[in-house]
Amino acid sequence: AQSVSQHNHHVILSEAASLELGCNYSYGGTVNLFWYVQYPGQHLQLLLKYFSGDPLVKGIKGFEAEFIKSKFSFNLRKPSVQWSDTAEYFCAVSSSGTYKYIFGTGTRLKVLA
Amino acid sequence: GAVVSQHPSWVICKSGTSVKIECRSLDFQATTMFWYRQFPKQSLMLMATSNEGSKATYEQGVEKDKFLINHASLTLSTLTVTSAHPEDSSFYICSARQWGALQETQYFGPGTRLLVL
């Protein structure tokens, strides 16, 4: 069965620090990969997605993610975080066959001003 | 990006009553919508896939008679929690799938918080 792991449950950073959130999945076939963000009191918003092509994907708000197929990973990065990046971040994976999303458990990021 | 709305945003009901939650795609048509449940400090768990004009597909362990899903139009899916009990209290989130350039992406509604007393 597919699964998605986000190893960092809580991350606290100071403003301007660099961010990397891990996401690993288990599935042997072709996958589509997503990162969503949920700001406090708001709904899930799509940050970026990977379907094919360049494994380095750029999203909104300065975020990027790199798909490393050999490591089954899709880590999220941002070179310099801002206080407004405080939110919960979810990695999701879907297989090309079912298109159902499997979500990771989420990472709560707190950025200190 | 595409916009999905949910109504109501929160509801409190007595045990034994039924509650209907609406999910609408506002600026695109969605033949497929999804219903998720999110427990506190946990991830989203897919409950069912709602297909326009056909029966919903439920995930293992989800009672289809408990959680009735209707997808009567390309912009509206409803989830009815029948005979609700306190253990049904949760945060219910819908998403609508949009196709574009051979890619599909789910856009999420703001969620509905249900409290059953």
Side-chain angles (χ1 to χ4, degrees):
Chain A
Q2 291 184 54
S3 66
V4 179
S5 298
Q6 291 182 244
H7 305 294
N8 315 104
H9 297 296
H10 292 89
V11 174
I12 300 175
L13 294 173
S14 298
E15 275 195 315
S18 63
L19 170 71
E20 181 161 2
L21 301 182
C23 173
N24 288 88
Y25 66 93
S26 65
Y27 183 69
T30 303
V31 294
N32 303 317
L33 300 155
F34 307 84
W35 274 98
Y36 284 86
V37 61
Q38 188 172 31
Y39 297 103
Q42 297 187 29
H43 63 281
L44 283 165
Q45 298 175 39
L46 180 66
L47 270 181
L48 47 78
K49 58 186 176 183
Y50 172 82
F51 284 83
S52 63
D54 189 344
L56 185 61
V57 181
K58 294 195 183 296
I60 61 172
K61 306 185 181 186
F63 287 91
E64 66 178 30
E66 185 175 13
F67 171 49
I68 302 179
K69 189 175 182 179
S70 61
K71 294 185 178 180
F72 298 89
S73 70
F74 190 55
N75 292 354
L76 181 71
R77 299 194 293 248
K78 185 170 184 178
S80 177
V81 295
Q82 300 172 318
W83 177 80
S84 57
D85 293 324
T86 294
E88 188 158 17
Y89 293 81
F90 291 93
C91 179
V93 175
S94 73
S95 63
S96 297
T98 68
Y99 303 106
K100 294 181 183 179
Y101 285 23
I102 305 296
F103 280 87
T105 51
T107 298
R108 287 180 184 268
L109 171 66
K110 185 174 178 63
V111 180
L112 304 175
Chain B
V3 180
V4 176
S5 69
Q6 271 184 252
H7 178 79
S9 55
W10 59 269
V11 58
I12 302 173
C13 69
K14 292 182 179 179
S15 186
T17 60
S18 294
V19 175
K20 180 186 282 188
I21 303 170
E22 292 186 348
C23 177
R24 293 181 186 274
S25 56
L26 298 185
D27 51 1
F28 66 101
Q29 294 183 328
T31 55
T32 304
M33 294 183 174
F34 300 88
W35 287 96
Y36 295 83
R37 189 171 176 175
Q38 186 178 28
F39 292 99
K41 298 184 179 181
Q42 294 188 31
S43 188
L44 284 77
M45 298 297 294
L46 179 64
M47 298 175 64
T49 302
S50 172
N51 301 297
E52 188 268 337
S54 65
K55 290 183 179 180
T57 305
Y58 291 82
E59 294 302 298
Q60 192 171 12
V62 177
E63 300 175 58
K64 61 180 181 180
D65 295 329
K66 174 79 169 171
F67 299 99
L68 299 179
I69 291 172
N70 184 274
H71 194 154
S73 78
L74 289 173
T75 59
L76 174 64
S77 174
T78 59
L79 169 69
T80 301
V81 184
T82 62
S83 186
H85 292 286
E87 58 266 28
D88 299 324
S89 298
S90 190
F91 194 52
Y92 294 88
I93 303 172
C94 74
S95 72
R97 188 167 80 187
Q98 184 184 49
W99 283 92
L102 301 179
Q103 298 179 357
E104 58 85 30
T105 304
Q106 290 185 31
Y107 292 92
F108 288 81
T112 297
R113 194 164 298 281
L114 170 64
L115 177 61
V116 184
L117 302 177

